[in-house]
């Protein structure tokens, strides 16, 4: 039987994340949680999803993912409160501006890029994986990558490093039964 999913899509008030949220709703998701920093854009995205897919329950949580583990926890808890459970996560939110190379990247820019593009997806993934395990659910977690992760680009140093870290994190968490590999 078809079991519609409840999905969290980060960075879904605009750009690729918004397109993913619409795609999930149009594909029959029973719920989509829109997240982003801008409340007005969030409300507009929710209204547009509801109009495009009236059977999809849609909500918005304002979140600045560079605020750490508490922001991630608030997103996941909001989704569970809205939908009863979470079946999937799309880590789409990303900071990519301002740009900077080795000389011009400030410690603040580096920290912001790592917090948004690497640390927040880690926290969200961990929380959703724990939720899925506790509820004995099968789910999916998608991490949106970038070609910058594979070769790097000098003018987007911190962005490239953060996306490469996300790729390594995805590969490291894709098989949680790693103990079976060492036998």
């Amino acid at each position: 039987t078809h079991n519609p999913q409840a999905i969290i899509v980060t960075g879904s008030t605009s750009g690729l994340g918004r397109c993913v949220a619409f795609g999930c709703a149009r594909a029959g998701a029973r719920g989509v949680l829109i997240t982003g920093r801008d409340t007005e854009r969030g409300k507009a995205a929710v209204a547009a999803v509801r109009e495009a897919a009236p059977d999809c329950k849609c909500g918005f949580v304002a979140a600045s993912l560079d605020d750490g583990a508490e922001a991630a926890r608030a997103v996941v808890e909001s989704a569970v409160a809205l939908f009863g459970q979470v079946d999937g996560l799309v880590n789409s939110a990303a900071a990519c501006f301002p740009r900077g190379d080795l000389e011009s990247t400030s410690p603040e820019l580096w920290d912001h890029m790592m917090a948004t593009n690497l640390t927040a997806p880690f926290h969200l993934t961990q929380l959703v994986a724990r939720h899925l395990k506790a509820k004995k659910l099968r789910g999916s977690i998608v991490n949106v990558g970038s070609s910058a992760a594979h070769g790097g680009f000098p003018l987007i140093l911190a962005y490239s490093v953060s996306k490469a870290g996300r790729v390594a994190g995805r590969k490291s968490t894709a098989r949680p039964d790693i103990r079976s590999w060492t036998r």
Side-chain angles (χ1 to χ4, degrees), residues 2 4-34 45-46 48-58 90 92 142:
H2 177 65
Q5 307 291 298
I7 312 293
I8 298 168
V9 183
T10 68
S12 47
T13 60
S14 65
L16 180 61
R18 186 173 167 140
C19 290
V20 170
F22 272 79
C24 290
R26 287 188 187 126
R30 69 179 173 83
V32 174
L33 184 69
I34 304 285
V46 168
V49 167
R50 287 180 178 158
E51 183 177 331
D55 293 336
C56 180
K57 188 173 191 176
C58 187
V90 178
S92 180
V142 175

Side-chain angles (χ1 to χ4, degrees), residues 5 9 16 21 23 37-38 52 59 64 70 88 98 116 133 135 182:
Q5 307 291 298
V9 183
L16 180 61
R37 293 183 307 258
D38 188 300
S64 183
E70 289 308 311
T116 304
K133 187 175 180 181
K135 297 271 191 177
T182 59

Side-chain angles (χ1 to χ4, degrees), residues 4-174:
Q5 307 291 298
I7 312 293
I8 298 168
V9 183
T10 68
S12 47
T13 60
S14 65
L16 180 61
R18 186 173 167 140
C19 290
V20 170
F22 272 79
C24 290
R26 287 188 187 126
R30 69 179 173 83
V32 174
L33 184 69
I34 304 285
T35 73
R37 293 183 307 258
D38 188 300
T39 301
E40 291 306 312
R41 287 193 327 199
K43 288 177 183 177
V46 168
V49 167
R50 287 180 178 158
E51 183 177 331
D55 293 336
C56 180
K57 188 173 191 176
C58 187
F60 169 70
V61 172
S64 183
L65 294 177
D66 63 347
D67 285 343
E70 289 308 311
R73 188 174 339 280
V75 167
V76 175
E77 288 175 356
S78 294
V80 171
L82 185 62
F83 307 127
Q85 71 185 44
V86 174
D87 304 289
L89 165 67
V90 178
N91 283 312
S92 180
C96 54
F97 295 101
R99 296 174 180 236
D101 60 12
L102 180 61
E103 187 174 341
S104 64
T105 298
S106 68
E108 295 79 17
L109 174 58
W110 180 270
D111 290 346
H112 172 67
M113 292 275 180
M114 295 306 138
T116 304
N117 299 350
L118 187 58
T119 305
F122 165 76
H123 289 303
L124 288 158
T125 298
Q126 186 179 58
L127 291 165
V128 170
R130 286 177 177 165
H131 169 78
L132 291 168
K133 187 175 180 181
K135 297 271 191 177
K136 297 184 174 152
L137 299 170
R138 294 182 61 116
S140 298
I141 299 173
V142 175
N143 287 292
V144 175
S146 169
S147 60
H150 303 288
F153 296 98
L155 293 176
I156 52 173
L157 172 66
Y159 177 81
S160 298
V161 170
S162 68
K163 288 296 192 164
R166 192 181 287 189
V167 168
R170 176 188 50 82
K171 290 178 180 179
S172 297
T173 59

